[in-house]
Amino acid sequence: VHDDIYVKTLVFEHAGEKAAFITLDVISLPHMLVMKSRELIHKQTGIAINNIILNATHAHAGPQMNPLFWDVVGGLAKLKSQEYTQNLPELITANVKLAISKIQPVRVSVGSVQETTISFNRRYLMKDGTFKTNPGKLNPNIVRPAGPIDPALSIVYFESLDKKPVAILVNFALHVAVVGGNRFSSDFPGVMSELIGNVKGDDVVTIFTNGTSGNINHVDVSNPDQLSGFDESRRIGTVLAGRVLSALPSLRS
């Protein structure tokens, strides 16, 4: 384990009705896991099933969640993955109940800033008319990216009525696939959360949701000296944390 992965929950209540927004540092959420989690949360908290949203940050360095991959690997790895996934609904439900116990009146501010330096479209038109994904650093046959990035960094900020920070929801379109290998990690969203916590307080819940990042990753083919792995993950997380913190004063209620 390089760094911990988390379940993080925001529970909203208005006019006696609750809703839960849950994010996990995993690559994906199988439909059956979502359904079982919703049913258990509803049974133990009374939150309506349609008011329960689950979200994966898409962390590639998190546990493998796809049963098709379990079957390919087999053996002890498959058994551990099955056990992990079977235990998740209980862990998620406990997290929701913890969030419910901390419900308080909040002020909500929202806003969006542009961040263009850390994400790149990974598909390129080549000189021979083909398209290639991640064609390599300084490839002389690159003509141009095949599509855009989404530079919008969207923020929802929750603070108590006496203006103490409670939670921050951050949305940005970038594959959470900077680190790989065989060590568990939440990747750059974890770094971002850690650094925001260092400034706003360890009790602040910072949640990352992934935007529409289909062909958007971190690889800058024009930069042969770009960092990689955990070093690049920390750099990207630091950039995002700085952009979020600097944007907070400009958010609108």
Side-chain angles (χ1 to χ4, degrees):
V1 174
H2 179 271
D3 55 272
D4 290 336
I5 60 176
Y6 290 92
V7 179
K8 298 181 180 180
T9 299
L10 298 177
V11 171
F12 304 94
E13 184 174 12
H14 178 69
E17 185 168 12
K18 293 186 179 69
F21 186 88
I22 306 154
T23 188
L24 294 88
D25 290 321
V26 295
I27 190 169
S28 63
L29 291 170
H31 179 70
M32 187 57 66
L33 171 64
V34 172
M35 297 307 296
K36 287 183 177 179
S37 299
R38 283 175 169 168
E39 291 168 2
L40 189 60
I41 293 166
H42 172 66
K43 181 179 179 181
Q44 295 195 16
T45 70
I47 298 177
I49 286 178
N50 287 342
N51 291 356
I52 301 169
I53 299 172
L54 287 97
N55 162 73
T57 66
H58 192 56
H60 282 225
Q64 179 53 255
M65 307 299 294
N66 192 326
L68 295 176
F69 285 100
W70 300 348
D71 292 337
V72 171
V73 175
L76 182 60
K78 177 179 178 179
L79 293 177
K80 285 183 175 293
S81 296
Q82 288 175 324
E83 180 183 7
Y84 176 82
T85 306
Q86 288 167 0
N87 290 335
L88 264 182
E90 287 282 356
L91 296 173
I92 294 169
T93 301
N95 193 259
V96 173
K97 291 164 75 173
L98 178 61
I100 290 172
S101 73
K102 295 186 176 184
I103 282 181
Q104 61 178 295
V106 294
R107 300 178 187 271
V108 183
S109 304
V110 299
S112 182
V113 294
Q114 301 288 295
E115 172 49 56
T116 62
T117 67
I118 57 176
S119 56
F120 306 86
N121 194 295
R122 66 185 179 183
R123 278 177 57 78
Y124 290 84
L125 172 64
M126 310 302 288
K127 289 180 179 178
D128 63 2
T130 62
F131 291 89
K132 286 189 176 181
T133 299
N134 292 331
K137 301 281 188 176
L138 303 181
N139 189 325
N141 295 312
I142 292 174
V143 177
R144 58 171 173 79
I149 63 167
D150 180 358
L153 175 61
S154 300
I155 305 162
V156 185
Y157 182 43
F158 304 89
E159 56 184 351
S160 65
L161 299 186
D162 56 355
K163 295 191 175 183
K164 293 180 180 178
V166 175
I168 304 175
L169 176 61
V170 180
N171 181 269
F172 189 68
L174 178 58
H175 266 280
V176 185
V178 181
V179 300
N182 59 2
R183 300 176 71 189
F184 289 113
S185 174
S186 58
D187 209 318
F188 66 81
V191 176
M192 180 191 72
S193 298
E194 171 198 337
L195 296 177
I196 290 175
N198 289 345
V199 175
K200 305 301 287 186
D202 292 336
D203 291 336
V204 174
V205 177
T206 299
I207 288 182
F208 175 85
T209 58
N210 214 325
T212 309
S213 58
N215 271 320
I216 302 176
N217 72 7
H218 66 285
V219 180
D220 180 2
V221 297
S222 69
N223 181 8
D225 299 318
Q226 183 180 17
L227 299 173
S228 62
F230 291 110
D231 290 336
E232 180 67 358
S233 174
R234 178 152 288 274
R235 186 186 75 84
I236 291 173
T238 301
V239 170
L240 286 174
R243 295 292 283 147
V244 170
L245 291 168
S246 64
L248 292 182
S250 65
L251 302 184
R252 61 189 185 277
S253 299

